[in-house]
Amino acid sequence: MTNPLTATTLDNWGFRTEHPLVIAGPCSAEGEEQMLSTVREIVANTNGKVQMIRAGVWKPRTRPNSFEGVGEIGLPWVKNAGREVGLPVCIEIASPEHVYAALKNEIDVLWIGARTTVSPFAVQEIAESLKGVDIPVMIKNPVNPDLELWIGALERIHAVGIIKLTAVHRGFSSYQKTMYRNPPMWELPIELRRRHPDIPIIVDPSHIGGTRDLIYTLAQQGLDMGFEGLMIETHINPDKAWSDAKQQVTPERLGEILTTLIVRQPKNSIDALADLNELRSRVDRIDDYIIELMCERMGISEEIGSFKNEHQLTLHQSERWAQIVKRALAKGTTGGLTEEFILKLFQQIHNESIRHQEKVIAK
Ligand code: PEP
Ligand code: MN
């Protein structure tokens, strides 16, 4: 048994983390001047909204012979750029060596990238190297849509005593071609939130979208779902970036995005929460009622099953089914439900009902 996964809230990280926690900076650190000018422009254009600077110095690339990051030499560039504007900095680490180099260079926050989270061995080695170190760690979801692997990585880091933890949602790879580079599959971070409500979640619209046009919409969706922050790749000259050129935005565009986003208060901190809770408990009561009614309905189905069995009647009687659907459609559409929803719902109810009838026959 691993310890229950817990995390401190972002305000215990030791620097300003107002809602939403916005992290911005280039995909890769390319030079001292690129870091400085990007960070200065970010600060000049975003009115205090950006609270942390990001950059990668070791870049996990799909194919060899692409730019794999400048390496350790870039760490002081990142740190000094942050110092220049008074902001903490974060970088990606993928091995204990990276961790030691980052700590030596006083990097404030570390993140584990999507290609590393997939490997329990790699995550475990990183965890060991962090024993006794007090530093926030952000864990990107694994490339593949596997929630257990994501939680497993959070648990491994948590197990060595790191409680300044967040998850970063950067979308999941898909074999199918989609409009996204990594489709968001929001149900996964939502399920993570349900299972581990105190792990903050930061959305990375840059790696989800893969193109700069999608960033605003994805960022808004992330905030609308109540997630705690955004990580947005920002470059002084995005088209000339050495990695992820298509998805990076200029500091000016970042400023526009951040001004346009509608930020609602995070969970627990709004006066309206009491009203919201009242509405939620009404929904819960109705959901309970729906489930109780379904259980009762399936009980009757079993009685019908026994009856049909005794009297040698066929299980599925299509006229009866047509009649049920017709009644439901008439009533439901009048009440504002869509035809599609009613049909799907009743198909499921019907399937479950047949299973219950078969169950009594099999006895
Ligand atoms: C990155 O943040 O630049 C990066 C490599 O991200 P990911 O691990 O999400 O692909
Ligand atoms: Mn990137």
Side-chain angles (χ1 to χ4, degrees):
M1 254 310 272
T2 42
N3 296 331
L5 194 49
T6 52
T8 64
T9 53
L10 293 174
D11 37 278
N12 291 318
W13 277 22
F15 31 77
R16 194 169 67 89
T17 51
E18 277 155 28
H19 180 74
L21 172 63
V22 180
I23 305 169
C27 178
S28 299
E30 298 165 9
E32 197 164 15
E33 187 44 41
Q34 170 251 11
M35 274 313 300
L36 272 175
S37 55
T38 301
V39 164
R40 281 193 192 121
E41 283 302 302
I42 286 176
V43 169
N45 281 277
T46 56
N47 199 19
K49 292 191 167 90
V50 170
Q51 299 167 72
M52 201 189 298
I53 298 300
R54 64 148 280 151
V57 301
W58 297 285
K59 301 305 297 179
R61 304 308 296 274
T62 304
R63 306 283 299 272
N65 307 321
S66 1
F67 169 63
E68 292 189 316
V70 294
E72 196 169 336
I73 192 181
L75 292 173
W77 306 341
V78 178
K79 181 64 195 177
N80 291 336
R83 276 205 183 109
E84 165 93 8
V85 293
L87 290 179
V89 297
C90 60
I91 59 142
E92 172 172 354
I93 46 94
S95 68
E97 292 68 39
H98 293 169
V99 171
Y100 303 136
L103 295 176
K104 201 169 73 194
N105 283 277
E106 296 174 46
I107 300 297
D108 305 280
V109 175
L110 307 176
W111 89 77
I112 298 182
R115 290 164 192 77
T116 306
T117 308
V118 290
S119 165
F121 287 142
V123 175
Q124 189 58 38
E125 283 188 0
I126 293 169
E128 313 279 333
S129 73
L130 284 167
K131 249 181 211 156
V133 181
D134 177 23
I135 191 166
V137 179
M138 310 194 284
I139 304 188
K140 288 198 168 196
N141 61 262
V143 176
N144 54 323
D146 183 341
L147 182 57
E148 299 305 319
L149 208 47
W150 197 2
I151 293 176
L154 286 156
E155 284 171 340
R156 285 175 198 279
I157 301 299
H158 180 257
V160 298
I162 304 263
I163 50 167
K164 294 173 182 167
L165 265 185
T166 68
V168 180
H169 169 44
R170 50 77 79 198
F172 300 88
S173 80
S174 149
Y175 187 62
Q176 258 139 22
K177 235 187 140 24
T178 73
M179 65 189 285
Y180 305 105
R181 178 177 175 196
N182 295 291
M185 305 185 194
W186 293 106
E187 62 279 16
L188 278 99
I190 288 171
E191 177 61 10
L192 176 64
R193 165 59 34 97
R194 192 187 67 79
R195 281 163 62 176
H196 298 290
D198 64 344
I199 303 277
I201 298 177
I202 290 172
V203 178
D204 171 348
S206 310
H207 290 88
I208 297 175
T211 60
R212 55 186 77 110
D213 302 346
L214 290 170
I215 290 174
Y216 166 71
T217 313
L218 287 163
Q220 185 67 63
Q221 286 172 356
L223 293 183
D224 290 347
M225 280 178 237
F227 296 135
E228 282 71 16
L230 299 168
M231 182 190 268
I232 302 181
E233 284 190 338
T234 310
H235 192 286
I236 191 74
N237 189 355
D239 289 329
K240 291 272 158 18
W242 297 359
S243 58
D244 289 350
K246 282 205 300 239
Q247 71 196 31
Q248 303 204 58
V249 293
T250 58
E252 198 184 349
R253 175 67 192 137
L254 177 69
E256 285 165 14
I257 292 175
L258 296 179
T259 324
T260 322
L261 286 174
I262 298 167
V263 179
R264 296 174 186 88
Q265 285 312 301
K267 59 179 168 39
N268 302 336
S269 71
I270 36 174
D271 296 340
L273 200 63
D275 297 343
L276 186 60
N277 281 342
E278 158 59 16
L279 291 170
R280 282 179 175 156
S281 62
R282 276 163 60 190
V283 165
D284 288 349
R285 281 200 299 278
I286 292 178
D287 287 349
D288 287 349
Y289 193 42
I290 293 174
I291 292 292
E292 284 160 25
L293 288 175
M294 284 299 152
C295 297
E296 193 180 329
R297 191 188 190 287
M298 295 309 153
I300 300 176
S301 293
E302 290 183 11
E303 283 182 39
I304 293 178
S306 316
F307 184 87
K308 285 179 180 168
N309 196 26
E310 271 168 39
H311 297 84
Q312 309 274 310
L313 297 169
T314 56
L315 270 193
H316 180 69
Q317 292 172 326
S318 51
E319 330 74 73
R320 169 67 184 143
W321 173 236
Q323 194 191 22
I324 290 177
V325 173
K326 197 168 150 208
R327 265 170 52 93
L329 279 174
K331 201 171 167 67
T333 50
T334 312
L337 300 177
T338 63
E339 208 173 293
E340 189 197 357
F341 171 71
I342 300 165
L343 289 173
K344 275 193 186 147
L345 177 67
F346 272 76
Q347 191 60 55
Q348 291 302 323
I349 294 178
H350 189 236
N351 291 347
E352 185 71 12
S353 166
I354 298 270
R355 274 194 288 275
H356 281 266
Q357 295 192 17
E358 280 168 348
K359 195 170 85 185
V360 288
I361 290 170
K363 273 187 187 159

